[in-house]
Amino acid sequence: MQEDILRFFRPINHSFDVKEDDYVQAKVCISMADAMARNTNSSLYIIDYNQKNFLYVSPNPLFLCGYTPEEVRGKGYGFYFEVVPAEEIRMLFEINEAGFYLFGRHSSEEKYGMTIEYDFHIKACDGRFRLIHHKLTPVLLDKDGYMWLALCTVSLSPASVPGNVLMTCKHRPVHWAYSFEGQRWKELPNIVLTDRETDILQLSVKGFSNTEIGEALFVDANTVKFHKKKLFQKLHAKNITEAIGIASNLRLI
């Protein structure tokens, strides 16, 4: 098991220069994460790549799968082997290795602005598998630019299948999509929505029908349908629910 757990940290072949005193900063990060969890009821946790465990786990039940936060912290990365399907564990290994490779090609300043996100199943306390959307972003790097602490957030995925790996950087006008078939990253221009597309998404979030959206924007329902079709193409979504989820994950709305 320990050997399998270590695969989550490839290709980090690095001894972290992190001292006990440095964990004072970590306590601040934990306090901030806990405050965020309480204010937003978000499901989140902090990974410590130095100690190869979880530094903090929020009490939101989505990620816990029936365990307590303390139990998940105690299990560390062994938790994944209990709640994630075996074939998707292998997928997570590949995502981690590819993600660290791309992450390592950027400067420390850029690294702090990067986020990797992807979808995988976890087994809930009722025994059913739920597809979650997982985001990971650096909180602290060590002096050599390696990721020491990372904040992860978990939400229900708007997608229908696992995978869907994206890496973004707030300092770059591009993002990267990972291809499992080609085992490589593809650089793509960032998606930009028009004002009308943004309006339609925001009204759709409120549950407005095409007719109601048209009335609010002073256009007919067919025009709304036309813009939605363009939106689906841009976001690679099958329907408006999926489009809203993808746009939200990409921070477009």
Side-chain angles (χ1 to χ4, degrees):
M1 173 69 76
Q2 188 61 30
E3 185 176 339
D4 287 334
I5 288 174
L6 290 177
R7 289 189 63 186
F8 276 108
F9 301 91
R10 284 163 43 180
I12 300 179
N13 299 313
H14 175 70
S15 295
F16 286 83
D17 185 17
V18 177
K19 302 176 177 62
E20 277 301 314
D21 291 346
D22 295 326
Y23 274 90
V24 173
Q25 298 179 73
K27 290 180 180 179
V28 176
C29 295
I30 291 172
S31 295
M32 292 294 291
D34 189 55
M36 184 190 305
R38 286 185 282 109
N39 282 355
T40 65
N41 198 31
S42 297
S43 182
L44 51 87
Y45 64 106
I46 296 175
I47 297 174
D48 181 349
Y49 285 98
N50 175 48
Q51 297 184 350
K52 297 180 173 58
N53 61 16
F54 300 156
L55 201 61
Y56 169 79
V57 179
S58 76
N60 183 289
L62 176 61
F63 180 65
L64 298 178
C65 301
Y67 294 104
T68 66
E70 293 72 26
E71 287 171 332
V72 174
R73 278 192 62 202
K75 293 174 184 294
Y77 270 81
F79 171 72
Y80 288 127
F81 293 89
E82 296 186 19
V83 302
V84 179
E87 64 274 13
E88 293 185 31
I89 286 284
R90 292 189 290 272
M91 179 191 76
L92 293 182
F93 288 154
E94 184 173 342
I95 292 171
N96 272 268
E97 189 159 355
F100 280 125
Y101 170 75
L102 181 59
F103 183 77
R105 295 170 58 188
H106 293 78
S107 68
S108 291
E109 181 183 1
E110 289 178 322
K111 286 175 181 176
Y112 275 116
M114 298 183 78
T115 298
I116 186 170
E117 54 194 271
Y118 43 88
D119 302 307
F120 62 95
H121 288 94
I122 56 174
K123 184 164 65 174
C125 55
D126 61 5
R128 299 179 181 180
F129 283 95
R130 290 187 171 86
L131 190 64
I132 61 168
H133 187 71
H134 186 275
K135 288 185 178 181
L136 183 153
T137 193
V139 175
L140 289 175
L141 306 178
D142 76 354
K143 66 180 182 62
D144 296 317
Y146 286 87
M147 186 153 37
W148 167 25
L149 301 182
L151 177 68
C152 301
T153 60
V154 177
S155 58
L156 289 174
S157 172
S160 54
V161 295
N164 315 304
V165 189
L166 290 177
M167 181 88 83
T168 56
C169 178
K170 69 178 183 180
H171 304 294
R172 295 285 194 97
V174 298
H175 63 280
W176 299 267
Y178 184 72
S179 166
F180 288 100
E181 184 176 342
Q183 294 187 313
R184 63 183 181 87
W185 291 97
K186 182 178 180 181
E187 186 176 286
L188 301 166
N190 285 341
I191 297 171
V192 178
L193 300 182
T194 65
D195 291 342
R196 180 53 51 86
E197 289 168 342
T198 301
D199 289 340
I200 288 173
L201 278 174
Q202 290 174 337
L203 291 170
S204 296
V205 169
K206 297 179 179 180
F208 282 30
S209 67
N210 288 341
T211 300
E212 291 170 329
I213 292 172
E215 290 173 353
L217 300 178
F218 303 101
V219 298
D220 62 38
N222 286 330
T223 301
V224 175
K225 291 178 183 178
F226 170 80
H227 285 295
K228 279 189 176 181
K229 183 178 179 181
K230 292 293 184 182
L231 264 173
F232 298 163
Q233 292 172 347
K234 277 188 180 181
L235 298 173
H236 304 287
K238 298 183 182 68
N239 52 53
I240 192 61
T241 300
E242 195 170 303
I244 290 169
I246 294 170
S248 178
N249 286 333
L250 292 175
R251 295 172 290 280
L252 297 174
I253 55 173

